[in-house]
Amino acid sequence: MAEMRIGVVGAGILGLAIARRLAATRPGAQVTVLDKEARVAAHQTGHNSGVAHAGLYYAPGSLKATLCRRGIGLLKDYCAEKGLPYEECGKVVVARDAAELGPLDEIERRATANGVPGLRRLTGAELREIEPHAAGVAALHSPTTAIVDYPAVARAFAADVTAAGGEVRLGFEVVRLGRAGDRVRVGSPDEELVFDRLIVCAGLQSDRVARLAGDASGPAIVPFRGEYYRLVPSRTDLVRGLIYPVPDPRYPFLGVHFTRRVDGGVDVGPNAVLALAREGYRRRDVRPADLWETLTFPGFRHLARRHWRTGAKELYGSAVKRAFVAQARGFVPELTADDVVAAPAGVRAQAVDPDGSLVDDFRIGRAGPVVTVRNAPSPAATSSLAIAEHVTDAL
């Protein structure tokens, strides 16, 4: 009997986690990961904040909530097994004034329903015991929120795939997908492979690859660049762990926050501005075809009409450093513009429905022998091992 051939498009942390589980649980299968880049974790996995989320924000019962809570435990155990950094530095979600107490109550309700351990509501004075330089009237403390090195985790996943007999093919850009009976043909500019099953985890290109696979329905990706500043080394003592705002419930973005990294640095950000290329990490990165696709997508036009004021505010913060710092100073009043320097940006693959709705929960589809991961934003890295269980169990 011929062995099953399973392909995974995308060598980010999610694609590699899925391939790893397939290689471990399907010993008769040949698992191949395909990615157009020369290294794993080249995009969202390698440009995120490095936070392992405990599950505070997500609607109870949602895929995000369920898979985040399962995923953080699996991730912690995996990092311990592999000797990878995993630091439970804790996180405070800070209400700056009385108007934010109601939304903070809702976060506490959700976190409690999701089974987040060790939660504690703090007064302003108690907040300063944990984060001496932070300011707020109240906060919610999550001591098990952690920081990790996601590119290192992704590289370990890739090593697990090859150790189990699978293959990670880098420099393979998927430009064609087609059906050959009940199989799938996957083509690069130079080569064609045939698989019995295919899983698409293409991140910033996920909607395009899904359409190639015949999954035409579903959201489109609108890329948002998240820009960061970094505390200068002499000022990293301003932040002990993670300091987050109470998020605006209208948006899946969490707002400008302070994030300690496993290397000891502290990042401030991100904002959320429209990227002018799918992989546009710098302001000067412009790809006309990508920008045209975004601007002509009806969902983006609906989104822009509804939220142009917020977009204008984000652009102003992007262009004017003191405006960006002023947002952050609402949580750490001692912060000055001299305390931060520019840091590398990331690009979020934000899925948007045709009516302009921002897709919040994970969205996973199926088109015959192809499984398409159409939306996997934060906490996808935290949840990667649990998402891998979810996807492979459904194959």
Side-chain angles (χ1 to χ4, degrees):
M1 182 177 177
E3 64 183 14
M4 175 172 281
R5 291 163 296 182
I6 305 176
V8 178
V9 179
I13 195 169
L14 185 52
L16 291 167
I18 290 171
R20 172 185 175 273
R21 180 166 172 81
L22 287 168
T25 60
R26 312 276 175 111
Q30 175 60 44
V31 178
T32 304
V33 181
L34 307 173
D35 197 287
K36 65 184 176 65
E37 304 298 348
R39 68 186 192 280
V40 303
H43 292 296
Q44 291 184 110
T45 303
H47 292 84
N48 67 27
S49 62
V51 175
H53 293 280
L56 274 68
Y57 309 102
Y58 318 121
S62 66
L63 273 180
K64 271 190 176 183
T66 303
L67 298 180
C68 181
R69 286 300 312 143
R70 168 72 175 158
I72 192 171
L74 294 173
L75 179 64
K76 181 178 181 178
D77 291 346
Y78 184 83
C79 288
E81 175 190 340
K82 297 292 184 178
L84 297 172
Y86 187 97
E87 180 185 344
E88 288 185 342
C89 62
K91 166 178 168 179
V92 288
V93 181
V94 178
R96 292 170 294 180
D97 53 41
E100 294 184 336
L101 293 176
L104 187 66
D105 290 340
E106 174 59 15
I107 293 172
E108 185 175 13
R109 184 195 70 79
R110 288 186 173 199
T112 301
N114 291 337
V116 177
L119 287 173
R120 187 161 70 99
R121 186 68 171 254
L122 307 175
T123 64
E126 290 169 334
L127 165 64
R128 284 181 286 280
E129 291 175 5
I130 294 172
E131 290 286 356
H133 302 279
V137 298
L140 186 66
H141 183 219
S142 168
T144 60
T145 298
I147 51 176
V148 298
D149 183 345
Y150 282 123
V153 173
R155 291 191 293 270
F157 286 173
D160 291 343
V161 172
T162 57
E167 185 179 11
V168 179
R169 293 277 308 271
L170 301 176
F172 190 107
E173 181 178 6
V174 175
V175 296
R176 298 184 308 278
L177 287 175
R179 298 284 286 275
D182 57 356
R183 295 177 178 174
V184 186
R185 298 191 306 270
V186 181
S188 74
D190 307 310
E191 188 178 359
E192 185 169 278
L193 304 174
V194 178
F195 298 103
D196 299 291
R197 296 287 184 274
L198 186 72
I199 300 101
V200 174
C201 303
L204 287 157
Q205 310 292 338
S206 60
D207 56 338
R208 292 171 172 171
V209 181
R211 286 195 297 268
L212 289 176
D215 185 5
S217 62
I221 295 300
V222 174
F224 284 91
R225 187 174 64 254
E227 298 163 330
Y228 290 88
Y229 284 92
R230 183 164 291 160
L231 293 186
V232 297
S234 62
R235 297 294 274 165
T236 56
D237 61 345
L238 287 174
V239 179
R240 289 180 172 176
L242 309 173
I243 303 174
Y244 276 60
V246 175
D248 187 330
R250 296 174 298 168
Y251 304 108
F253 313 111
L254 294 177
V256 170
H257 48 272
F258 293 79
T259 307
R260 182 164 288 279
R261 308 299 295 252
V262 292
D263 62 5
V266 176
D267 284 354
V268 186
N271 58 4
V273 297
L274 181 68
L276 305 184
R278 287 282 178 113
E279 295 159 7
Y281 297 101
R282 300 166 300 181
R283 294 175 187 172
R284 66 178 182 270
D285 291 339
V286 181
R287 191 167 186 269
D290 288 354
L291 181 57
W292 178 252
E293 185 176 352
T294 295
L295 296 179
T296 57
F297 171 51
F300 173 74
R301 296 200 299 271
H302 291 312
L303 178 69
R305 278 196 296 269
R306 289 178 201 155
H307 302 295
W308 66 268
R309 289 183 179 85
T310 299
K313 179 181 176 183
E314 293 290 302
L315 283 171
Y316 181 65
S318 171
V320 181
K321 180 180 179 180
R322 59 182 172 80
F324 191 107
V325 173
Q327 290 186 59
R329 193 182 297 122
F331 302 95
V332 179
E334 295 172 51
L335 187 72
T336 71
D338 293 335
D339 294 332
V340 297
V341 295
V347 179
R348 176 188 176 108
Q350 178 59 54
V352 179
D353 277 327
D355 66 358
S357 301
L358 293 161
V359 180
D360 185 41
D361 205 2
F362 298 145
R363 192 173 292 185
I364 300 168
R366 184 84 181 249
V370 182
V371 174
T372 56
V373 179
R374 298 296 298 257
N375 190 52
S378 178
T382 303
S383 311
S384 56
L385 290 168
I387 295 174
E389 292 178 340
H390 179 80
V391 170
T392 59
D393 290 351
L395 271 181

